[in-house]
Amino acid sequence: MTISRTRTVKRGARTTDSDSHLSAAHPTDPDRDCPLCPRLVDFRNTQRAREPSWFNAPVPSFGDASARLLIVGLAPGLQGANRTGRPFTGDYAGELLYGTLLHYGFARGRFEARPDDGLTLVDCRISNAVRCVPPQNKPLPAEINQCRSFLGASIAAMPRLRSIVALGRISHDTLLKLLGLRAAAAPFSHGAVHQAGGIRLYDSYHCSRYNTNTGVLTTEMFHAVFARVKADLD
């Protein structure tokens, strides 16, 4: 594991760093009809016409803003969070993520892959780098950049935040910009840990079905990341 260090990030105030988007003044979640990314708006409207009973809107963060742990995924899945309205709920990725959170005490209840299953998070919050479902699950760089301000505001609104788990390289890269870390000093690697002031950034491969089916990510590898987070927070 690697640990890199940088300056302290002042949450709750704008910074002069051009790559940092932390701001408590910015909304933490997009409006239901957020117009910022035309391609995603078109895809959202198509899905609303096709599946009117689905959530089909920017998916808000899940969990208490007073949590010390934030988990950042890539974007809502078409038949997962885009359908249900809760991050990592309704598709395979949630099975591994929520099972792991229950195992390490970051969640309580029973995960049944629906937003009314009663599951609650414990000292943990979940969000995404991009809040709207993208076609083929692949957001464009401009869409990632446009949505980064919401993630920055979400981080700024978490006064007790100490740990962030980045699920995948895109989440890692967008968090580097928000935390003021240089890419060369904090390369993405599963199990790596990077220090940004009072916040530790933990890298993990994304818990997607593709990654688990191909052996890129095993349950043991995923558990090891959260075991480290749990130990550091304790």
Side-chain angles (χ1 to χ4, degrees), residues 75-161:
L78 178 61
Q79 298 187 52
N82 177 68
R83 175 173 61 85
T84 64
R86 189 175 76 180
F88 291 90
T89 300
D91 53 16
Y92 176 79
E95 299 288 338
L96 178 53
L97 176 60
Y98 285 111
T100 301
L101 296 180
L102 286 163
H103 181 79
Y104 286 100
F106 290 115
R108 68 167 63 96
R110 182 180 178 86
F111 176 67
E112 296 180 354
R114 63 177 198 272
D116 61 350
D117 56 14
L119 181 133
T120 58
L121 299 181
V122 179
D123 203 18
C124 176
R125 200 176 199 205
I126 303 174
S127 193
N128 278 307
V130 176
R131 302 298 181 86
C132 290
V133 60
Q136 290 82 50
N137 291 322
K138 294 179 180 179
L140 300 177
E143 294 160 352
I144 297 168
N145 292 339
Q146 189 71 261
C147 211
R148 188 177 296 123
S149 57
F150 296 106
L151 181 58
S154 296
I155 293 173
M158 297 181 70
R160 299 177 63 241
L161 182 63

Side-chain angles (χ1 to χ4, degrees), residues 169-214:
R169 183 180 297 275
I170 290 177
S171 298
H172 166 90
D173 288 347
T174 205
L175 283 162
L176 293 190
K177 291 180 171 63
L178 291 170
L179 298 174
L181 287 166
R182 293 182 299 107
F188 176 81
S189 176
H190 181 83
V193 183
H194 314 283
Q195 193 76 33
I199 296 174
R200 279 190 172 184
L201 174 63
Y202 301 77
D203 289 339
S204 173
Y205 293 132
H206 195 283
C207 49
S208 66
R209 183 183 292 274
Y210 176 83
N211 281 348
T212 56
N213 281 352
T214 57

